[in-house]
Amino acid sequence: MDVFAPYEQADARNDQARQRADLCHRRLRAAVDMLMESADGRLLLRWLLQLSQCFCALEPAAFDGASAAHHLFFAEGRRFVGMQLLRLAQDADPGHLPRLIQTREDDDGI
C-alpha cells in the first residue's frame, strides 16, 4: 500500500477543482465580453451595478437599534456583488470599465 496515495489523490482533486474554476472564470469573462459588445448588454450590466449600489455611501444614521447591523451586513453583501462584477469586467478587458462607467448611451435615450 502506498502511504502517499491519499495525499496524491487530494492534490489531484485540488488540481481538477482549480482547472474547473479557471474554466468557469474564462467563461464568465467571455460572457462579459459578449455583453459589452451591445448597448443592451451594457445597459444590463449598468442596471446590475445600480442595484448593487457599489458606488453609494450608506448613511448609518438611517438605521437605529439592533437592525442597524443587519442592514449594514446586507448592504455590504450587495456592494460585494457589484464589486465582483466590476472586477470581472476589468479582468475580461481593462477597456470595459471606462465604457461601462460612461453613461453617454443612457443619456442618448438608448
Side-chain angles (χ1 to χ4, degrees), residues 14 32 52 69 80-81 84 97 100-101 105 108-109:
N14 287 342
V32 168
S52 70
F80 179 77
V81 170
Q84 290 297 315
L97 211 49
L100 194 56
I101 303 295
E105 289 176 338
D108 292 341

Side-chain angles (χ1 to χ4, degrees), residues 44-71:
L44 174 67
L45 291 173
R46 285 187 193 109
W47 178 70
L48 290 172
L49 288 174
Q50 181 183 5
L51 285 179
S52 70
Q53 296 181 351
C54 60
F55 296 117
C56 297
L58 184 65
E59 295 183 30
F63 309 112
D64 59 343
S67 68
H70 296 105
H71 288 287

Side-chain angles (χ1 to χ4, degrees), residues 39 46 102-110:
R46 285 187 193 109
Q102 256 180 345
T103 58
R104 200 173 337 153
E105 289 176 338
D106 293 338
D107 295 340
D108 292 341
I110 293 178

Side-chain angles (χ1 to χ4, degrees), residues 76-93:
E76 284 303 309
R78 185 173 49 204
R79 283 187 67 238
F80 179 77
V81 170
M83 297 307 272
Q84 290 297 315
L85 180 59
L86 287 173
R87 180 179 296 237
L88 184 62
Q90 181 73 19
D91 286 348
D93 182 358

